[in-house]
Amino acid sequence: MLEAAIDAGASDVTSDADGHVVLTAFEDLNPVAKALEEKLGEAETVHSIWKPQTLTPIEGEKAESLMKLLATIEDDDDVQNVYANYDVDEATLGQLSAA
């Protein structure tokens, strides 16, 4: 998969038990998807996402407030996707999930 994706013009591939995620520039999405479809068959889904280039570290009360805000936004039926550039460390996430 990695070799086929790179040959098609993708920048990266991550794979796990659920499948493959192919990363490419937005303007290359359709050509890469078509090239991979010709070589490997039809994809389950093809869509663009926003992936931050830099992450902002968040800790303590700010992390708690941010998680509440994101949960509220995601619960809204009119919201389709939520993207953010925060970075919360594992210890803070553990504290928040325990609360």
Side-chain angles (χ1 to χ4, degrees), residues 52-57 84-87:
Q53 293 182 355
T54 58
L55 297 175
T56 303
N85 68 332
Y86 65 88
D87 184 23

Side-chain angles (χ1 to χ4, degrees), residues 42-60:
E42 189 174 340
E44 187 176 308
T45 62
V46 175
H47 60 275
S48 61
I49 62 165
W50 179 80
K51 184 176 180 192
Q53 293 182 355
T54 58
L55 297 175
T56 303
I58 306 291
E59 297 176 346

Side-chain angles (χ1 to χ4, degrees), residues 2-70:
L2 177 62
E3 186 178 326
I6 290 173
D7 288 346
S11 58
D12 195 15
V13 175
T14 56
S15 300
D16 60 21
D18 295 330
H20 309 283
V21 175
V22 178
L23 299 177
T24 188
F26 179 77
E27 58 273 6
D28 296 333
L29 179 63
N30 285 333
V32 168
K34 285 181 182 182
L36 288 174
E37 183 176 339
E38 289 173 4
K39 197 170 214 176
L40 303 171
E42 189 174 340
E44 187 176 308
T45 62
V46 175
H47 60 275
S48 61
I49 62 165
W50 179 80
K51 184 176 180 192
Q53 293 182 355
T54 58
L55 297 175
T56 303
I58 306 291
E59 297 176 346
E61 289 181 21
K62 288 183 180 182
E64 184 177 1
S65 295
L66 177 63
M67 294 301 134
K68 287 180 183 176
L69 173 64
L70 292 175

Side-chain angles (χ1 to χ4, degrees), residues 70-93:
L70 292 175
T72 301
I73 292 171
E74 289 174 345
D75 287 342
D76 188 318
D77 291 338
D78 293 332
V79 175
Q80 294 177 359
N81 297 305
V82 177
Y83 301 103
N85 68 332
Y86 65 88
D87 184 23
V88 179
D89 61 56
E90 293 296 323
T92 303
L93 282 176

